[in-house]
Amino acid sequence: MRVLPPSRRAIVSTTVSALDQMIHKLSGRSALTGEDKEAILSLPHTIRSYHAATYVVREGEPPPNHCSFIRSGFAVRQKITAQGARQIMSLHLVGDFIDLEHLFLNIADHNVQALTELEVVAIDRRALESLVLARPNIARALWIDALVDASIYREWVTNVGRRAAPARIAHVLCEVALRMQAAGVSTNGGFELPLTQEQLADAVGLTPVHVNRTLKALVADGILHRDKRYISFTDWNRTKEVADFNALYLHLEQAKPA
Amino acid sequence: MRVLPPSRRAIVSTTVSALDQMIHKLSGRSALTGEDKEAILSLPHTIRSYHAATYVVREGEPPPNHCSFIRSGFAVRQKITAQGARQIMSLHLVGDFIDLEHLFLNIADHNVQALTELEVVAIDRRALESLVLARPNIARALWIDALVDASIYREWVTNVGRRAAPARIAHVLCEVALRMQAAGVSTNGGFELPLTQEQLADAVGLTPVHVNRTLKALVADGILHRDKRYISFTDWNRTKEVADFNALYLHLEQAKPA
DNA sequence: CGGGCCCTTGAGGTAGCTCAATCCCAGTGG
DNA sequence: CCACTGGGATTGAGCTACCTCAAGGGCCCG
């Protein structure tokens, strides 16, 4: 059973404050005072669920009156070309904010789509904005979050622009592996890739067919193991080398308070 | 004469406060009070010059004690792959901050390199940080700046991942044209592209040879005119169509105060 | 007038694409 | 319990956009 059935998750969500998750995430980025935490806990918010494949944000739309972060499930940011090609430009998992840009930009420039069943905590935008503008620690934490997102986009430009198919695919797998571990979604034994091969293709700028063949080649070369969508690496160093992967850009160390 | 000789620029820089430029840029993004402006004007800063091709920021380095924005000239962000391929992930011109990430991240994840003779205003990092954390209007303006940068990266992922060579190249040209106009660096008649074909290739994830041939094809198809590096478009709508260009992602409208 | 960048161009090669079956398997209805 | 169905995953065969290598050509600058 790869994805928890909706019911298993739904039970928890209403009792434990969803905002504790936010406090946990942010305090990993900047030390928060008791007041900061109280301020966060009193943020007006609701919990929203989306089915897999649903659009959470649509390109061209004005910002809704809330900003969301993921409580459970996976989402992607993507755009669709005039010729109908889709490009995924980032993956998001538990604890990630998926539309911080709505805080200050007045129109959505890309789509955000649920990859699996998805639960988000939707925080009142005005309230979050004043928190950010009034509380330095919270501001710093959210800045870091946004800056790390930007760093990941830069790496993806490089990945898609300058790496050959095997490295390109391996690189995304490395990133997912590390981020899932960091978020506590997987152990270091391996992880369940929340993407179909077609979606993976859209993330690396290749064709599904070619992704399939390249994955097979990576397995044949002993770079990775695969059981359906469950991925594990034989030799992390070797994989990193093939992927030309350097975790620097994820700024995981930055997760320590300043 | 394509690039102003260093002397022509150097004369001005010491007399007019360099920070006026910053005020001008930021007040385009968020209304600033008199106090905000005074606070900006009293920021400790120095002016630095770099020759073309010099590295301003190096991947892996800890942040310097200042953040810079461009006073004149052009710069790029880039990374170099293990196999030695370079990918440029953004272009920067007058008024752009080139290392806002140094404000909150503790290590540089990419290189910033001067493309032409470059002058930057280097602002004391601590001072800027406290300004950002203390002054909502300034914070908002810088947030918008960072979020727009991120939006541009997303578009570039799409560009490099999903568009064919002609569209890919035309797309970057459209972006440069609009941004240069918005910054007052060019009129809408055309513009001097501050990139060699090799650098353009590194920006679009292609080979210099192929960029050359594709440019020729774009000219042959009447999509653009070219005189050395001076580019102009015959029919903006047609160019936009070929480039699959939608200016939304530049958030130029956002330049109006909230 | 000799380098040293760039830009151009030719010729041939290949990584990744397209089109089109086929297969696998979980879920569904009977 | 079994046939049926639909969304992935795989595989084959042929094609092309873009690459590599390599040789000029133009122009600025000392």
Side-chain angles (χ1 to χ4, degrees), chain B residues 175-194:
Chain B
E175 176 179 320
V176 174
L178 276 196
R179 287 176 62 193
M180 284 179 88
Q181 260 184 61
V185 176
S186 72
T187 63
N188 62 8
F191 61 97
E192 183 71 27
L193 186 70

Side-chain angles (χ1 to χ4, degrees), chain A residues 59-60 77 79-83 85-89 100-101 103-110 129 132-134 136 139-140 142-144 146-148 150-151 153-158 160-163 198 201-203 205-207 244 246 248-249 251 253-254, chain B residues 59-60 77 79-83 85-89 100-101 103-110 129 132-134 136 139-140 142-144 146-148 150-151 153-158 160-163 198 201-203 205-207 244 246 248-249 251 253-254:
Chain A
E59 184 174 351
R77 296 181 194 276
K79 282 192 180 188
I80 299 184
T81 292
Q83 0 300 308
R86 176 176 55 178
Q87 177 68 44
I88 290 176
M89 42 267 210
L100 261 192
E101 34 290 325
L103 216 44
F104 297 107
L105 297 182
N106 52 29
I107 188 162
D109 53 64
H110 65 284
E129 183 180 340
V132 168
L133 295 178
R140 178 183 290 110
L142 286 173
W143 262 102
I144 292 176
L147 292 175
V148 170
S151 171
Y153 298 138
R154 284 191 291 266
E155 184 65 37
W156 281 46
V157 173
T158 308
V160 152
R162 285 302 187 205
R163 284 196 265 261
E198 188 176 5
D202 287 337
L206 295 170
T207 288
D244 183 25
N246 177 346
L248 180 62
Y249 78 99
H251 295 277
E253 286 312 308
Q254 185 79 44
Chain B
E59 183 173 351
R77 298 180 192 277
K79 283 192 179 188
I80 298 183
T81 294
Q83 356 303 307
R86 176 175 55 177
Q87 176 69 45
I88 290 175
M89 42 268 209
L100 260 192
E101 33 291 324
L103 215 45
F104 297 106
L105 297 182
N106 51 30
I107 188 163
D109 53 64
H110 65 283
E129 183 180 342
V132 168
L133 297 178
R140 178 183 291 111
L142 287 172
W143 262 102
I144 291 175
L147 292 175
V148 170
S151 171
Y153 298 140
R154 286 191 290 266
E155 184 66 36
W156 281 46
V157 173
T158 309
V160 152
R162 286 300 187 206
R163 283 198 264 261
E198 187 176 8
D202 286 339
L206 295 170
T207 289
D244 183 24
N246 177 345
L248 180 62
Y249 77 99
H251 294 278
E253 285 312 308
Q254 185 78 43

Side-chain angles (χ1 to χ4, degrees), chain A residues 159 162-174 200 204 206 210-219 221 223-224 233 238-245, chain B residues 83:
Chain A
N159 198 40
R162 285 302 187 205
R163 284 196 265 261
R168 221 185 276 191
I169 292 172
H171 197 281
V172 168
L173 296 181
C174 286
L200 181 53
V204 294
L206 295 170
H210 199 59
V211 164
N212 182 287
R213 295 197 233 261
T214 308
L215 277 175
K216 257 184 36 183
L218 287 170
V219 170
D221 291 351
I223 307 297
L224 55 85
F233 304 121
R238 178 118 176 277
T239 310
K240 277 200 332 192
E241 197 179 313
V242 168
D244 183 25
F245 185 83
Chain B
Q83 356 303 307

